[in-house]
Amino acid sequence: MAKTMYWRVVPGVVHVVAHTHVAPSDEDWDAYLADVLANLGTIKGALVYTHRVGPSAPQRARSNEAFTRAGAELQTVIMTASRMTQGIVTALSWAMGAKIKAFSTRDFAGAVNCLNLDPEEQIRTRVVLKQLARAAEVEVDAFADESGRFRQRLEEKK
């Protein structure tokens, strides 16, 4: 079966995931969740990029259970093209006090600012998101007019 989502940790910074145009399979979701949990103590949060798809109700329930068992909260930002999803996420964060916030797929700056990433962390996260989006065969709307200079700047800093 083809992958439905791609993810990677930016070491010491953030867990980044890009969804394909297909809803996450249980296999991919559970592997992703295990990876997030394994990195909880080393990251500032999670950045999720999706045009319209997301976890099913049972997948969300497994996530909630896992985080409750781990006794952990993770600041999560969701970049989505769905205004309905943005509204639902906002309502849930108000009602439940969850550390989750939704942003437009064009608002990378807002998403990384919510995660309190410094400029170098933002560049590293941007590069990883671009790579994951390419693998997922989706475009990152926030980067639509860029030429790839961020990877070059990151490599110059090393």
Side-chain angles (χ1 to χ4, degrees), residues 72-130:
E73 281 190 271
L74 182 68
Q75 178 64 54
T76 302
V77 296
I78 300 174
M79 295 178 66
T80 178
S82 168
R83 288 196 174 161
M84 184 168 69
T85 300
Q86 290 175 31
I88 290 168
V89 168
T90 300
L92 285 173
S93 70
W94 290 340
M96 299 170 38
K99 293 178 73 173
I100 188 169
K101 190 160 181 177
F103 295 87
S104 157
T105 53
R106 296 191 173 281
D107 192 7
F108 179 79
V112 295
N113 286 334
C114 182
L115 292 168
N116 295 313
L117 303 188
D118 67 34
E120 182 181 342
E121 292 169 336
Q122 290 180 26
I123 291 170
R124 292 170 54 206
T125 301
R126 182 183 295 260
V127 169
V128 169
L129 178 56
K130 282 180 146 182

Side-chain angles (χ1 to χ4, degrees), residues 31-77:
Y32 163 72
L33 180 58
D35 195 43
V36 171
L37 292 169
N39 286 284
L40 273 179
T42 66
I43 56 175
K44 296 180 178 184
L47 185 149
V48 178
Y49 188 89
T50 179
H51 280 270
R52 300 218 183 274
V53 299
S56 66
Q59 290 167 341
R60 284 191 302 275
R62 288 198 301 277
S63 295
N64 292 338
E65 258 177 49
F67 281 104
T68 299
R69 274 195 317 272
E73 281 190 271
L74 182 68
Q75 178 64 54
T76 302
V77 296

Side-chain angles (χ1 to χ4, degrees), residues 12-24:
V13 182
V14 67
H15 206 283
V16 181
V17 60
H19 287 269
T20 65
H21 291 288
V22 178

Side-chain angles (χ1 to χ4, degrees), residues 123 127 130 146-154 156:
I123 291 170
V127 169
K130 282 180 146 182
E146 294 179 1
S147 64
R149 294 202 51 226
F150 290 95
R151 175 185 281 284
Q152 180 183 16
R153 286 186 9 215
L154 178 62
E156 288 172 357

